[in-house]
Amino acid sequence: MLGRLLLSRGYHSTKGVFGNRPKPRSRYEGISAAVLEKRNANSNVYRWVEAYRTHGHRIATIDPVKFYPAEEQSFTQLPELQYARYGLTAADRIDPTGLINVPQQQTRTMAELDQLLARMYCGTCSIELGFIESEEEREWLAARYEQLFQQAPAPSERREIAELMLKSQAFDQFLAVKFPTVKRYGGEGAESMMAFYWELFRCAGEADLTNLVIGMPHRGKLNVLTTLFGTRPAKIFKKFKGYPEFPADAQAMCDIASHFHTSTDVTVGGKTFHLNMLHNPSHLEAVNPVSMGKARAKQLAHADGPYAVQQGADGYHRSRVLNVQVHGDAAFPGQGINQECLMMANVPHFEVEGTIHLIVNNQVGFTTPAERGRSTRYVSDLAKAIMAPVVHVNADDPEALAGVTKIAVEYRQKFGKDFFIDLNCFRRWGHNELDDPTMTNPLLYKVIHARKSIPDVYAEKLIEAGLFDRADVDAIPRNYLTAELQAYEQYEPERTYFDKQWSGLRQPSDEVTVWNTGVDYRLLSHIGRESVKLPEGFKIHIDARLKRLAEGQRIDWATAEALAIGSLMYQGCNVRLSGEDVGRGTFSQRHAMLVDQQTNEIFIPLNAMAAAAGPNTGRFELANSILSEEAVLGFEYGMAIDNPNNLILWEAQFGDFFNGAQIIIDTFLVSGETKWMMCNGLVMLLPHGYDGAASEHSSCRMERFLQMTDSRETSPDGDTVNLQVVNPSTPAQYFHALRRQMIRNFRKPLVVVAPKTLLRLSDCVSPHGDFAPGTHFQPVLGDPEAGARIDPKRVRRVVLCSGKHYYTLQAERKTRQVSDVALVRLESLCPFPVQAVRDELAKYPNAREYVWSQEEHRNMGAWTFVQPRFENMCERRIQYRGRPEAATVAVGVSQWHLKEAEEVIKTTLY
């Protein structure tokens, strides 16, 4: 029972939650009595057949280069595959019914069966089945795989495959002549991938899929974009000539051609589906979780897959959105993000109901030979962690690749699980066309350079079969490439952004805009009550939220968050919050996903509210994630770039955990818009604050995010900054920051320097008036005591600070009755609020000292960001008060921490 529960990957709740559709029970009835009887009667033969299915791949001829050490070349058979080992002889005649899936069930000799099994499992493709626990899946896979060898493609299909491969080769040869100094990462040696995409498209039409979302690195990307995906070669050529890929009015720095994407409709066999090939960075494999998130967002948009409403036992339909990932052979086992992605494959709120993986196995990574690039037999061995089927294919056999691709799609549609194809090919040149691989792999490349190209080998095979002739090869169109090169100057870059679901949004102007994000408190009060409303008999701990709402004067952080999310749901926005333990919150503050203490049932009150409000109300998806940052954040970025009407939030368990996702932050989040015109409104919540807990978990390293912004030091920022960073000090400010993400007519990623101790600090509350219509996020909060206890004319020092640190300073100022120091809070760090700061400084005409105070060390925090902007644009010198420079975030001795904290306060106020 426990094993079945673990494999189901469902909730312990029997009712399910939004974004997690319960899976129906398998209808598999087991192996029939007749087949079992046949297998038992021929048990030795069946053991021998199973040995082929388990071990045949070890001696399969899947390598098109045939570069083996001498001792391996002579090792042509395995003892497990010798039928004599099972007491059988060559003369034994066997009826293969129930033992092997062959169409003619006539008696055959063991020698004939040996030849048949060797062709199936030791030829140019071979499947691995032994590690798959499910008998149903093993039986189905064996049947479909063995049937593959009785289904030869039609002559017309073989010609289509040949033509696509020859076109790919012609494209690479054309670029080699016309752009000899450009790195193009061509498909030479891997042209068989054309057969993969060709069959994938046919299967997508047959399966009535609506969307294909593909993540693919550089290798052969330009070939498939131009040959199969409808991208004009003129666009590529114009880029190679040194021109931008976007119209002149786009605020973009652009990227290299091998990072291009496409979003287009494809029609095959009268069926049309939408194809998204995503932008990829040079960090190999980083695009994979992004493609999963994008696919998941498509499922959300279409109420498909995990978001579909199940109609009874027979109403379960596999998702019509398919995720496809293409990997490199060195990168797939070498990059940890792939393990993270596989660990998400069957987890609620992250599953996409099966991904099809193609590993383009060059057998060398950059210059690293395969045997030094991993510790496993195959590049695909990570797949065994989730018991995903793996088929190894020789690139010289594109027909087998097409057949296996068909099986992959059928398997995904039937079982909703991942499938791997290991395409063993080679790289005609080095890491790129300008790299000489013979320096590090001379013998390997001696073999590669001596052999014919994969398209030529396949074309000759068809010529020998009478299906092709030399005229067909010569007729492969090449002139269109010349015409496209001549037309590149007239080619006008397409405006592919702010279209379809992004219509109505834009890139912002170079000014900071203010958006009314307030909401009538009667609605907020209703949302607040609904956020803690429970079904009858549902047992949880008592929540104080209702009391706070009734008072209306002490709205805390968690309540403000619930109000922001609930109000956006009422406006039709879907909200997704993911991260480790986000349902309750790392600090047990959120309690948005409630668990009955007696029955273990799960209940999300805001979704009950949404269901009662009607179909136009958004839904709240709480995605408790695996212990991952990089893949999970990439997944959430993928969801955020798909639809601007979904608010996507990712919360780090502690702020410093973001650094596990640094690749996603650098290559996608902060640079995706300027590189690719790909906007997103992803919100990162990073708990931050020095509380004596030593280095880890004290700081979210806000200095790194500020350094990654394109904020200007000498002129005011506008909404055009690539990344917005806020350190809100009140619940209302947090409320407005979240709502502003969706209310504005543009999308920018937002980093929230989130609190820890403020979650329960009695002074960190907001009155209902701060949420009212007409209110908004304020980039600067002035001193609330100015004009009361603090006389602005007597203020000698103005202290600027941010976030939690304000409350520490304010408590000390009140205790010591300091009356000549004003405290001004910078709630927005980027964009830097120049005018708002100036307005606050003008209130203190006699001030002579200006101080930036922070609890972080001098080489950390916001100091190095604030100082030049304040001095250049506010025209005043500003002094530093805080901890001195340090190599680590915080000391690990509590007494030292307290002494440092006292010193920061003392030097700031006195």
Side-chain angles (χ1 to χ4, degrees), residues 537 539-540 595-601:
K539 304 296 184 182
I540 65 166
V595 180
D596 191 298
Q597 299 296 295
Q598 294 180 0
T599 67
N600 242 12
E601 285 293 336

Side-chain angles (χ1 to χ4, degrees), residues 211-215 262-264 274-278 294 298:
N211 292 83
L212 260 62
V213 181
I214 302 174
T262 190
S263 177
T264 185
H274 191 76
L275 170 71
N276 286 99
M277 164 79 83
L278 301 186
K294 177 86 169 178
K298 292 295 183 189

Side-chain angles (χ1 to χ4, degrees), residues 201 204 209-214 261-267 271-277 294 298 302 320-322 499-501 642:
F201 287 1
L209 300 183
T210 58
N211 292 83
L212 260 62
V213 181
I214 302 174
H261 92 305
T262 190
S263 177
T264 185
D265 288 335
V266 176
T267 300
K271 298 290 186 67
T272 299
F273 56 87
H274 191 76
L275 170 71
N276 286 99
M277 164 79 83
K294 177 86 169 178
K298 292 295 183 189
H302 295 294
R320 297 169 68 195
V321 178
L322 174 61
D499 191 17
K500 296 181 180 177
Q501 66 265 36
D642 183 70

Side-chain angles (χ1 to χ4, degrees), residues 74-106:
S74 62
F75 189 68
T76 58
Q77 191 58 278
L78 295 174
E80 292 93 337
L81 305 186
Q82 305 299 315
Y83 49 75
R85 194 180 207 197
Y86 304 91
L88 304 168
T89 67
D92 292 339
R93 299 191 65 84
I94 303 295
D95 178 0
T97 303
L99 306 176
I100 308 173
N101 297 280
V102 290
Q104 293 83 25
Q105 303 294 324
Q106 72 269 21

Side-chain angles (χ1 to χ4, degrees), residues 408-471:
V409 176
E410 291 176 354
Y411 175 85
R412 186 266 183 179
Q413 291 302 102
K414 180 174 178 61
F415 295 103
K417 295 176 62 178
D418 291 33
F419 193 104
F420 278 78
I421 302 172
D422 172 23
L423 176 62
N424 287 257
C425 54
F426 57 88
R427 216 169 50 197
R428 174 66 66 179
W429 310 112
H431 176 64
N432 58 71
E433 290 75 12
L434 308 184
D435 179 45
D436 181 6
T438 62
M439 289 186 288
T440 52
N441 296 280
L443 297 182
L444 173 63
Y445 272 88
K446 183 178 180 180
V447 176
I448 290 174
H449 290 159
R451 63 153 288 160
K452 293 181 180 179
S453 73
I454 286 178
D456 288 345
V457 169
Y458 185 60
E460 288 182 2
K461 179 180 178 181
L462 297 192
I463 290 172
E464 292 175 4
L467 302 177
F468 229 45
D469 56 39
R470 289 295 169 189

